[in-house]
Amino acid sequence: MLRVRAAAAHFVLLCLTYVSPGSCDVAGGAGSVNALPAGGGARLAPSFDAATPRNVTALVGKSAYLSCRVRNLGNRTVSWIRHRDLHILTVGGYTYTSDQRFQATHSPQTDDWTLQIKWAQQRDAGVYECQVSTQPVRSFFVTLHVVDCDEIYQRMFSDGVPSARILGGPDLHVDIGSTINLTCLIQFSPEPPAYIFWYHEDEVSGRKQVISYDSSRGGVSVVTEKGAATTSYLLVQDATPADSGRYSCAPSNAELASVRVHVLNGERPAAMQTGSAGLSNSWRCVIALLAACALHARLLRAQLAS
């Protein structure tokens, strides 16, 4: 089926791009075709600039630009084809798709034919073909990668090993009768953990046990939010001195993380706990923003270098 569609696409391109020699010359217009010089004559064959990037990365929701630099184009026409379904997107400067996010741009003073994809989505990722209407056709392939902020963060800051940490450690202080609120952040994992266990260890007796949500103590709950980074919240209400000790978060796909909790009876140390959840959200937003800025600067340097 793909071979049939490829043959059909090629036939359509021939129909769209055939122009008799000397018939027209639309300077600067969309889809412009330059007429052959009167009397014919030898002409160099079209060729692609080997320095043109073959891999392009774009952010979700931003514009993606795929470049194709053709030397000695003559009266041939440049077309862009989406390879996964062999859909003809543009021919010259004209768009042949109902998806108006696609647009081809060309300046008569350059050899560049650029395919712009507005508001790129992850479904736009894949191989795109820049095709010149020679016989046989000549093609240049560009692979588009579309990533979101969470994926950028993982690529830039991860060493590829899943990790867990409890925010606000290594020591947290809470008042007696208040709520112990622990936030465990699991990052750099290809998929969310299958399970997360919380442990409490009494550092005086050395007794360590899995925290049970239906124990006779009561007032214990866990909320887990799964995603590119998984967050697990442990809430222990009406804290007592017996709740002091080492708390550990043990996800199925990473080493456990621990923190010491001190339940105080009237003391007010400077390290008093002040809301781990709010810190988690702010930290994630700042890191995502820094990652996006770093990637933007990297892409800009690559464009200037080309």
Side-chain angles (χ1 to χ4, degrees):
M1 178 60 73
L2 285 178
R3 290 182 179 178
V4 174
R5 297 186 67 177
H10 185 200
F11 176 75
V12 172
L13 284 175
L14 288 177
C15 293
L16 290 172
T17 60
Y18 177 76
V19 180
S20 60
S23 61
C24 67
D25 185 5
V26 184
S32 63
V33 178
N34 297 321
L36 287 171
R43 168 187 302 275
L44 293 175
S47 62
F48 298 104
D49 187 343
T52 305
R54 293 178 178 270
N55 287 279
V56 176
T57 301
L59 288 172
V60 170
K62 303 297 183 181
S63 290
Y65 297 92
L66 281 60
S67 296
C68 181
R69 189 168 298 160
V70 186
R71 309 293 190 193
N72 310 311
L73 181 61
N75 69 326
R76 277 78 171 191
T77 302
V78 175
S79 303
W80 279 99
I81 301 172
R82 185 171 53 207
H83 224 247
R84 64 177 167 84
D85 57 2
L86 296 177
H87 189 92
I88 300 172
L89 301 173
T90 64
V91 177
Y94 294 104
T95 301
Y96 284 87
T97 174
S98 58
D99 190 341
Q100 295 302 309
R101 297 181 305 124
F102 292 89
Q103 178 182 359
T105 59
H106 169 67
S107 174
Q109 289 77 32
T110 70
D111 296 323
D112 293 326
W113 294 81
T114 302
L115 177 67
Q116 179 185 8
I117 306 175
K118 301 177 182 177
W119 311 295
Q121 303 298 316
Q122 289 187 326
R123 59 185 170 86
D124 296 320
V127 177
Y128 290 79
E129 178 182 355
C130 171
Q131 188 179 102
V132 177
S133 59
T134 54
Q135 286 293 331
V137 297
R138 297 170 183 257
S139 299
F140 181 84
F141 298 95
V142 181
T143 301
L144 173 64
H145 307 273
V146 182
V147 296
D148 58 23
C149 286
D150 287 334
E151 186 176 348
I152 294 170
Y153 171 78
Q154 290 196 21
R155 287 184 179 182
M156 296 182 65
F157 296 95
S158 171
D159 58 3
V161 179
S163 66
R165 67 189 186 94
I166 299 176
L167 303 183
D171 291 273
L172 293 175
H173 301 79
V174 298
D175 277 331
I176 190 170
S178 63
T179 297
I180 300 173
N181 180 2
L182 301 181
T183 301
C184 180
L185 184 64
I186 298 96
Q187 298 173 287
F188 317 134
S189 173
E191 59 184 16
Y195 58 83
I196 300 173
F197 289 143
W198 283 90
Y199 294 92
H200 175 232
E201 178 183 356
D202 186 332
E203 294 187 298
V204 176
S205 64
R207 182 184 178 188
K208 182 178 181 180
Q209 60 183 358
V210 177
I211 296 177
S212 176
Y213 317 130
D214 56 359
S215 66
S216 58
R217 183 204 183 284
V220 177
S221 59
V222 171
V223 178
T224 300
E225 299 176 353
K226 294 186 176 182
T230 296
T231 307
S232 181
Y233 304 97
L234 172 66
L235 304 176
V236 181
Q237 300 177 12
D238 300 322
T240 68
D243 294 317
S244 295
R246 180 184 295 273
Y247 286 79
S248 299
C249 163
S252 62
N253 58 352
E255 296 292 329
L256 62 80
S258 299
V259 67
R260 285 189 179 88
V261 173
H262 307 271
V263 179
L264 307 176
N265 188 8
E267 300 95 335
R268 301 293 297 179
M272 186 69 72
Q273 174 174 317
T274 58
S276 299
L279 177 60
S280 172
N281 292 334
S282 299
W283 183 86
R284 291 172 64 185
C285 290
V286 169
I287 292 297
L289 180 60
L290 291 175
C293 292
L295 179 66
H296 177 74
R298 187 179 301 176
L299 292 174
L300 183 58
R301 287 196 299 270
Q303 290 179 353
L304 291 175
S306 62

Short mmCIF file of all heavy atoms in Angstrom, two decimals, residues 134-156:
data_model
loop_
_atom_site.label_atom_id
_atom_site.label_comp_id
_atom_site.label_asym_id
_atom_site.label_seq_id
_atom_site.Cartn_x
_atom_site.Cartn_y
_atom_site.Cartn_z
N THR A 134 13.27 16.21 -10.10
CA THR A 134 14.13 15.76 -11.20
C THR A 134 13.65 14.38 -11.65
O THR A 134 12.72 13.81 -11.08
CB THR A 134 15.59 15.67 -10.71
OG1 THR A 134 15.63 14.85 -9.53
CG2 THR A 134 16.14 17.05 -10.40
N GLN A 135 14.28 13.84 -12.67
CA GLN A 135 13.98 12.49 -13.14
C GLN A 135 15.25 11.64 -13.10
O GLN A 135 16.16 11.85 -13.93
CB GLN A 135 13.42 12.54 -14.57
CG GLN A 135 12.00 13.05 -14.66
CD GLN A 135 11.00 12.08 -14.01
OE1 GLN A 135 11.22 10.88 -13.96
NE2 GLN A 135 9.92 12.63 -13.49
N PRO A 136 15.41 10.69 -12.15
CA PRO A 136 14.46 10.43 -11.06
C PRO A 136 14.54 11.51 -9.99
O PRO A 136 15.47 12.32 -10.00
CB PRO A 136 14.91 9.08 -10.53
CG PRO A 136 16.39 9.07 -10.79
CD PRO A 136 16.57 9.78 -12.11
N VAL A 137 13.60 11.50 -9.06
CA VAL A 137 13.55 12.55 -8.03
C VAL A 137 14.77 12.44 -7.12
O VAL A 137 15.34 11.36 -6.93
CB VAL A 137 12.26 12.46 -7.20
CG1 VAL A 137 11.05 12.67 -8.08
CG2 VAL A 137 12.18 11.12 -6.48
N ARG A 138 15.17 13.58 -6.57
CA ARG A 138 16.24 13.63 -5.57
C ARG A 138 15.62 14.01 -4.24
O ARG A 138 14.74 14.88 -4.19
CB ARG A 138 17.32 14.65 -5.97
CG ARG A 138 18.04 14.29 -7.27
CD ARG A 138 18.92 15.45 -7.74
NE ARG A 138 19.53 15.11 -9.02
CZ ARG A 138 20.80 14.74 -9.17
NH1 ARG A 138 21.57 14.63 -8.11
NH2 ARG A 138 21.27 14.46 -10.37
N SER A 139 16.07 13.36 -3.16
CA SER A 139 15.44 13.55 -1.86
C SER A 139 16.47 13.82 -0.77
O SER A 139 17.59 13.32 -0.82
CB SER A 139 14.60 12.33 -1.48
OG SER A 139 13.56 12.11 -2.42
N PHE A 140 16.03 14.62 0.20
CA PHE A 140 16.83 14.91 1.39
C PHE A 140 15.91 14.70 2.59
O PHE A 140 14.80 15.26 2.64
CB PHE A 140 17.34 16.36 1.36
CG PHE A 140 18.19 16.75 2.53
CD1 PHE A 140 19.55 16.47 2.55
CD2 PHE A 140 17.64 17.41 3.63
CE1 PHE A 140 20.34 16.84 3.62
CE2 PHE A 140 18.41 17.78 4.70
CZ PHE A 140 19.78 17.49 4.70
N PHE A 141 16.34 13.89 3.57
CA PHE A 141 15.47 13.52 4.68
C PHE A 141 15.88 14.23 5.97
O PHE A 141 17.06 14.31 6.30
CB PHE A 141 15.50 12.00 4.89
CG PHE A 141 15.00 11.23 3.70
CD1 PHE A 141 15.88 10.73 2.76
CD2 PHE A 141 13.64 11.03 3.50
CE1 PHE A 141 15.43 10.02 1.65
CE2 PHE A 141 13.18 10.33 2.40
CZ PHE A 141 14.07 9.82 1.48
N VAL A 142 14.87 14.74 6.68
CA VAL A 142 15.09 15.41 7.96
C VAL A 142 14.22 14.73 9.01
O VAL A 142 13.03 14.50 8.78
CB VAL A 142 14.73 16.91 7.88
CG1 VAL A 142 15.00 17.59 9.22
CG2 VAL A 142 15.52 17.58 6.77
N THR A 143 14.81 14.42 10.16
CA THR A 143 14.07 13.79 11.26
C THR A 143 13.76 14.84 12.31
O THR A 143 14.65 15.52 12.81
CB THR A 143 14.88 12.64 11.89
OG1 THR A 143 15.19 11.67 10.88
CG2 THR A 143 14.09 11.97 13.00
N LEU A 144 12.47 14.96 12.64
CA LEU A 144 12.01 15.93 13.64
C LEU A 144 11.74 15.21 14.96
O LEU A 144 11.05 14.19 15.01
CB LEU A 144 10.74 16.62 13.16
CG LEU A 144 10.05 17.55 14.17
CD1 LEU A 144 10.95 18.72 14.53
CD2 LEU A 144 8.71 18.04 13.62
N HIS A 145 12.30 15.78 16.04
CA HIS A 145 12.04 15.30 17.40
C HIS A 145 11.28 16.41 18.13
O HIS A 145 11.70 17.57 18.12
CB HIS A 145 13.34 14.99 18.13
CG HIS A 145 14.25 14.06 17.39
ND1 HIS A 145 14.18 12.69 17.47
CD2 HIS A 145 15.27 14.32 16.51
CE1 HIS A 145 15.10 12.14 16.70
NE2 HIS A 145 15.77 13.11 16.10
N VAL A 146 10.17 16.06 18.77
CA VAL A 146 9.38 17.04 19.52
C VAL A 146 9.36 16.60 20.98
O VAL A 146 8.95 15.47 21.29
CB VAL A 146 7.94 17.14 18.98
CG1 VAL A 146 7.15 18.20 19.74
CG2 VAL A 146 7.97 17.47 17.48
N VAL A 147 9.81 17.47 21.87
CA VAL A 147 9.92 17.12 23.29
C VAL A 147 9.22 18.17 24.14
O VAL A 147 9.04 19.32 23.73
CB VAL A 147 11.39 17.00 23.72
CG1 VAL A 147 12.08 15.87 22.97
CG2 VAL A 147 12.14 18.31 23.47
N ASP A 148 8.83 17.75 25.36
CA ASP A 148 8.23 18.70 26.30
C ASP A 148 9.25 19.05 27.39
O ASP A 148 10.35 18.50 27.43
CB ASP A 148 6.93 18.15 26.90
CG ASP A 148 7.13 16.82 27.62
OD1 ASP A 148 8.28 16.55 28.04
OD2 ASP A 148 6.15 16.06 27.76
N CYS A 149 8.87 19.95 28.29
CA CYS A 149 9.81 20.45 29.31
C CYS A 149 10.29 19.35 30.23
O CYS A 149 11.47 19.32 30.61
CB CYS A 149 9.15 21.56 30.12
SG CYS A 149 8.99 23.12 29.22
N ASP A 150 9.40 18.43 30.62
CA ASP A 150 9.82 17.36 31.53
C ASP A 150 10.87 16.48 30.86
O ASP A 150 11.85 16.06 31.49
CB ASP A 150 8.61 16.50 31.94
CG ASP A 150 7.70 17.23 32.91
OD1 ASP A 150 8.20 18.11 33.62
OD2 ASP A 150 6.50 16.92 32.96
N GLU A 151 10.69 16.19 29.58
CA GLU A 151 11.66 15.35 28.87
C GLU A 151 13.00 16.08 28.72
O GLU A 151 14.06 15.47 28.84
CB GLU A 151 11.11 14.98 27.49
CG GLU A 151 11.98 14.01 26.73
CD GLU A 151 11.36 13.57 25.41
OE1 GLU A 151 10.17 13.85 25.20
OE2 GLU A 151 12.08 12.97 24.61
N ILE A 152 12.94 17.40 28.47
CA ILE A 152 14.18 18.18 28.37
C ILE A 152 14.91 18.15 29.70
O ILE A 152 16.13 17.96 29.76
CB ILE A 152 13.86 19.64 28.00
CG1 ILE A 152 13.27 19.71 26.60
CG2 ILE A 152 15.11 20.50 28.09
CD1 ILE A 152 12.73 21.06 26.27
N TYR A 153 14.18 18.32 30.79
CA TYR A 153 14.80 18.31 32.11
C TYR A 153 15.53 16.99 32.35
O TYR A 153 16.67 16.96 32.82
CB TYR A 153 13.74 18.52 33.18
CG TYR A 153 14.25 18.31 34.58
CD1 TYR A 153 15.01 19.27 35.21
CD2 TYR A 153 14.01 17.10 35.23
CE1 TYR A 153 15.51 19.06 36.48
CE2 TYR A 153 14.51 16.88 36.49
CZ TYR A 153 15.25 17.86 37.11
OH TYR A 153 15.76 17.64 38.36
N GLN A 154 14.87 15.88 32.02
CA GLN A 154 15.49 14.58 32.25
C GLN A 154 16.73 14.40 31.39
O GLN A 154 17.75 13.87 31.83
CB GLN A 154 14.49 13.46 31.95
CG GLN A 154 13.36 13.39 32.98
CD GLN A 154 12.61 12.08 32.93
OE1 GLN A 154 13.12 11.09 32.43
NE2 GLN A 154 11.40 12.08 33.42
N ARG A 155 16.69 14.85 30.11
CA ARG A 155 17.85 14.70 29.23
C ARG A 155 19.04 15.51 29.71
O ARG A 155 20.19 15.09 29.59
CB ARG A 155 17.48 15.13 27.80
CG ARG A 155 16.57 14.15 27.08
CD ARG A 155 16.33 14.60 25.67
NE ARG A 155 15.49 13.68 24.93
CZ ARG A 155 15.16 13.84 23.65
NH1 ARG A 155 15.62 14.88 22.98
NH2 ARG A 155 14.38 12.97 23.04
N MET A 156 18.79 16.70 30.25
CA MET A 156 19.87 17.61 30.59
C MET A 156 20.46 17.34 31.96
O MET A 156 21.65 17.57 32.20
CB MET A 156 19.39 19.06 30.51
CG MET A 156 18.97 19.49 29.12
SD MET A 156 18.47 21.22 29.05
CE MET A 156 20.00 22.04 29.44
#
